[in-house]
Amino acid sequence: MSEKPTILCQLDTDPLPSVFDRVVAVDAGVQHIFSYGGVTPQNVMPLVHGCIFTRGGADLRRTAVFVGGSDVTAGEAVLAEIKKHLIPQYGLSVSLMLDSNGSNTTAAAAVRAAGRHLDLSRANSLVLGGTGPVGQRVARLLARAGGNVRLGSRQKERAEAVCAVIRAHVPGADIQAVSVASSSDAPTALDGRNLVVAAGAAGAVLLPKKLRLACKSLKVAIDLNGVPPAGIEGVELPDKAADRDGHVCYGALGVGGTKMKVHRAAINKLFESNNAVLDIEEVYSLALQLP
């Protein structure tokens, strides 16, 4: 008999499930996508049971769950609750992927790009917009690689809280919160940095050109903002290892091509077994395997 069709159950914490995530799933070859919005830890159990009690044996690997939405903390809570309702001791499990706000796939692509030009185990990095979904994931990957990470935010207290979360995931992480509330904070935050990643909200210039040029240690600048103006002034959207004023620069589109490849590869990975869990470290591992 031929294999059953692949089904991706898209559980989105926002009221309307992401069209972007559905399109990527289709392009990855998923045959059926069941999309649900407004998913919370309180209402997810019957959706999980619908996935695990309808197929058996090897057929369960043909069903998978994708957790998305704009809030990575909400996505993490839903993922944790899903795990509680799987019954792996009896083989009743499906593979899971978390990519709220594209945070895991975007961060994986960005850090992969940085690693092409720097030894990340020795890198001194600054993550601007570090309390956002993508910034948190970028900082976590850089911390796990072993370098020194400064996590920048206009509200240092929020940055401290994110650093504490990262230390819980990465024991011994060399990460510190820094304030970037004003231009006078920038020289201190940038001091000694050879990598800057901007992952802030659209419409905000996080690193003006004059400050970038004044940082003599800087080698690589990655701007993940896809809506003008650039988060790192002087970096263009299509930049992909472009030389800008002696800095190796990546823009959102320059990273985006790899992000899409990582996203599709992760979706395909879900259907290789019925027990994979793809969070940031697993998605990054896939990114490193791409040609």
Side-chain angles (χ1 to χ4, degrees), residues 33-200:
I33 305 167
F34 302 162
S35 298
Y36 301 89
V39 177
T40 68
Q42 291 71 38
N43 64 21
V44 77
M45 183 178 72
L47 299 174
V48 177
H49 287 173
C51 290
I52 65 174
F53 289 131
T54 46
R55 290 174 166 180
D59 289 332
L60 267 176
R61 70 176 180 84
R62 306 289 286 175
T63 303
V65 172
F66 177 96
V67 178
S70 59
D71 186 335
V72 68
T73 301
E76 288 174 329
V78 167
L79 180 67
E81 187 67 21
I82 290 170
K83 293 176 182 178
K84 296 178 185 178
H85 301 295
L86 302 176
I87 314 174
Q89 63 269 35
Y90 294 109
L92 297 174
S93 180
V94 294
S95 289
L96 315 173
M97 177 179 173
L98 174 67
D99 199 29
S100 298
N101 205 40
S103 55
N104 283 341
T105 50
T106 302
V111 175
R112 179 182 186 264
R116 292 188 162 187
H117 308 281
L118 296 169
D119 177 353
L120 297 182
S121 69
R122 299 182 178 182
N124 294 314
S125 57
L126 170 63
V127 181
L128 297 169
T131 60
V134 177
Q136 291 183 42
R137 287 334 214 212
V138 168
R140 179 165 151 182
L141 287 178
L142 292 172
R144 189 173 291 281
N148 174 260
V149 183
R150 290 178 185 160
L151 191 142
S153 173
R154 289 174 294 180
Q155 301 177 42
K156 191 175 179 180
E157 296 77 12
R158 290 186 62 198
E160 292 281 11
V162 171
C163 287
V165 171
I166 291 174
R167 291 188 194 103
H169 286 286
V170 186
D174 188 5
I175 185 168
Q176 301 87 37
V178 295
S179 173
V180 289
S182 68
S183 58
S184 62
D185 294 328
T188 300
L190 282 166
D191 184 48
R193 301 297 93 180
N194 52 23
L195 168 64
V196 173
V197 180

Side-chain angles (χ1 to χ4, degrees), residues 20-21 24 66 99 105 259-267:
F20 181 98
D21 291 334
V24 178
F66 177 96
D99 199 29
T105 50
K259 177 261 191 294
M260 299 302 293
K261 292 178 183 177
V262 173
H263 195 148
R264 290 192 292 267
I267 293 294

